[in-house]
Amino acid sequence: MQLILDFVPLLIALIAYKKAGIYAATIALMVLLPLIPIGQKLLGKPVSQMHAWSAAAVVLFGSATLFFRDPRFILVKPTIVYLAFAIAFWAAGRFSGQTVVERMLGDAVSLEPAQWRLLNLAWMGFFAIMAVLNLIVAYQFSEATWFNFKVFGATGLMVLFIIAQAIALAVMAKDQFENEENT
């Protein structure tokens, strides 16, 4: 359900882009993306840091795009956000003793520290690759191609990666459970 909710602002921005261009799409994103963490707060749910930071970044880079009338700011925003997430996953694992993945899923799944680090490393790599992909598409292809990549390509890759992570997590948890059962 959350993935669908995340996709709606992108879809509306795509429609705005097709009808009125990059600046209309930027305004749509600047209005809609902050509604996700605001809605989470109003409903009494935990506010997703990922949503909060993404919303803040879109407002910041969207404002620069509109103020300077230069779409390069909004085009590079995903790269900055992806790199920030990659660094956050690295720093949390390095300095806090608990990886981001373990913080999110540790109450539901029991894994060895090395397995948590491996899953965390996969997320770091995914975000780093997405940062590079965004730059390639933003600066080697048309703005329309970039926008379609942002809405469908990046979202599709995220869904595929989450599915792969879920499978890996299930296999690791099963192996961990069997190892505990045999001892």
Side-chain angles (χ1 to χ4, degrees):
M1 182 65 176
Q2 184 63 47
L3 195 57
I4 293 169
L5 186 63
D6 293 347
F7 190 67
V8 169
L10 291 175
L11 194 55
I12 292 170
L14 179 64
I15 293 166
Y17 178 79
K18 299 285 186 189
K19 298 273 185 199
I22 191 76
Y23 301 115
T26 300
I27 291 168
L29 286 172
M30 289 173 66
V31 169
L32 295 170
L33 284 182
L35 293 178
I36 294 172
I38 290 169
Q40 290 170 333
K41 182 76 170 169
L42 290 174
L43 293 172
K45 295 184 176 184
V47 175
S48 162
Q49 292 300 307
M50 186 170 167
H51 287 120
W53 285 107
S54 292
V58 84
V59 169
L60 176 70
F61 285 91
S63 296
T65 294
L66 297 173
F67 182 80
F68 293 109
R69 302 299 287 174
D70 187 346
R72 288 180 292 183
F73 291 101
I74 205 69
L75 293 175
V76 78
K77 190 261 333 163
T79 292
I80 302 297
V81 170
Y82 291 138
L83 287 176
F85 286 146
I87 291 167
F89 273 70
W90 171 79
R94 178 101 172 145
F95 299 115
S96 77
Q98 192 178 39
T99 68
V100 173
V101 180
E102 185 177 2
R103 272 192 215 141
M104 291 188 306
L105 302 172
D107 291 340
V109 180
S110 176
L111 296 178
E112 294 293 324
Q115 293 171 313
W116 287 120
R117 286 191 300 273
L118 182 63
L119 292 171
N120 202 67
L121 182 63
W123 276 101
M124 287 173 16
F126 173 76
F127 284 128
I129 289 167
M130 291 301 294
V132 171
L133 274 176
N134 183 71
L135 284 180
I136 291 169
V137 176
Y139 291 104
Q140 298 299 315
F141 297 92
S142 71
E143 183 181 278
T145 299
W146 173 82
F147 213 95
N148 283 316
F149 169 76
K150 176 65 185 130
V151 174
F152 299 111
T155 303
L157 289 171
M158 178 68 78
V159 168
L160 290 174
F161 184 75
I162 289 170
I163 290 168
Q165 279 280 293
I167 292 168
L169 190 62
V171 168
M172 288 178 185
K174 180 180 180 268
D175 290 346
Q176 182 71 19
F177 178 74
E178 288 172 355
N179 288 342
E180 288 175 3
E181 208 172 63
N182 291 333
T183 53

